Amino acid sequence: MPTMTLQIPTEDGQADAFAAYPDGGGQHPGVLLYMDIFGVRPVLEEMARELAGHGYYVLVPNVFYRNGPAPLVELPEHIGAEARPTLFGRLVPLLEEHTPERVLRDADAYLGFLAGRPEVGAGPVAAIGYCMGAALAMRTAAAHPDRVAAAAGFHPSALVTDAPDSPHRLVPGLNAEVHLGLAESDMTPEAISEFEQALDAAGVAHTCEIYPGTLHGFTMADTAAFDPVALQRHWDRLLPLLDRTLAKG
């Protein structure tokens, strides 16, 4: 399966990225895959390969590129509880610097890059994300309703906040089918209800599901939160969503 590392021109510099796509040439629907806070690394590259094997061109940008190329921090082979305080101490400030304005500038660049790739078809794309990437996917989908036909977030963070530009307030801009796969502690029942009410009011097709017995980060095989059953459930939800919304050539 072809893979490559890339540099994507943005308004603020060059974003390094990983891409995977099917063998055999031709054009394929694009999928923009937003990383979790730990960044672009082998586990995300493997997820991109898995998606590419189902017929998609998958782009995984390092959204923290302004601070340097991935990896920005040295990660242990297995991210357990003992490593998290140090890692979060270095990475959370980068997340706080990644403002909604930066997110949208970068989304323009990532979608423009996909539109210009000869391996990517002319139809709509999907935006999916993990942890913090779920909010980035929702912001991207809301800002580009003509381009993004599917938006998915798994073990999401910060989808419902008090901010005037909280992702849940952007729902009226969506033209994408949405799936949220939640760990049991990701969002309060009140926050889930508020997000679903916004989706219902906007007429957005969606599913919002708590994956039973899971911890935040359940899809990530290099973390202590990993749950192989929940990872499979995630594929069982994500692949049909992409199949329904993205036209394969």
Side-chain angles (χ1 to χ4, degrees):
M1 176 177 299
T3 63
M4 62 178 64
T5 55
L6 304 156
Q7 294 290 323
I8 302 174
T10 76
E11 288 190 28
D12 298 328
Q14 296 276 331
D16 53 302
F18 176 85
Y21 50 97
D23 285 315
Q27 292 188 318
H28 314 281
V31 175
L32 175 56
L33 192 161
Y34 281 116
M35 65 191 214
D36 64 353
I37 197 168
F38 298 125
V40 182
R41 60 197 192 281
V43 68
L44 283 180
E45 293 172 1
E46 182 55 37
M47 293 172 83
R49 290 188 186 93
E50 176 72 22
L51 276 174
H54 290 274
Y56 301 100
Y57 183 104
V58 187
L59 180 68
V60 190
N62 167 27
V63 304
F64 293 153
Y65 68 88
R66 294 172 182 85
N67 303 98
L72 288 172
V73 298
E74 184 176 351
L75 296 172
E77 185 174 335
H78 182 76
I79 304 170
E82 70 287 347
R84 294 173 76 87
T86 298
L87 292 173
F88 280 126
R90 296 190 61 185
L91 294 170
V92 168
L94 306 186
L95 175 58
E96 292 171 345
E97 293 171 5
H98 198 55
T99 62
E101 293 75 20
R102 285 185 172 185
V103 172
L104 294 184
R105 289 202 301 273
D106 290 348
D108 290 345
Y110 302 149
L111 293 179
F113 176 86
L114 285 171
R117 292 299 300 184
E119 306 92 346
V120 179
V125 303
I128 68 176
Y130 301 83
C131 181
M132 70 172 208
L136 307 189
M138 295 301 163
R139 292 188 186 281
T140 298
H144 295 273
D146 57 330
R147 289 280 292 131
V148 181
F154 298 94
H155 40 86
S157 60
L159 289 182
V160 177
T161 73
D162 293 331
D165 60 354
S166 169
H168 80 286
R169 302 188 201 281
L170 307 177
V171 162
L174 288 172
N175 192 34
E177 184 176 342
V178 171
H179 175 72
L180 293 183
L182 305 167
E184 290 191 339
S185 61
D186 280 335
M187 296 170 67
T188 66
E190 294 77 17
I192 294 171
S193 177
E194 188 166 359
F195 198 88
E196 288 200 287
Q197 286 176 19
L199 292 165
D200 286 335
V204 175
H206 67 277
T207 53
C208 184
E209 182 179 3
I210 296 174
Y211 292 17
T214 54
L215 301 173
H216 182 75
F218 57 78
T219 63
M220 297 298 156
D222 60 353
T223 74
F226 178 57
D227 183 326
V229 173
L231 174 64
Q232 185 58 51
R233 182 187 294 258
H234 139 280
W235 291 124
D236 291 343
R237 302 300 185 266
L238 178 58
L239 293 173
L241 170 66
L242 299 182
D243 192 52
R244 284 194 300 273
T245 55
L246 304 184
K248 295 182 182 179

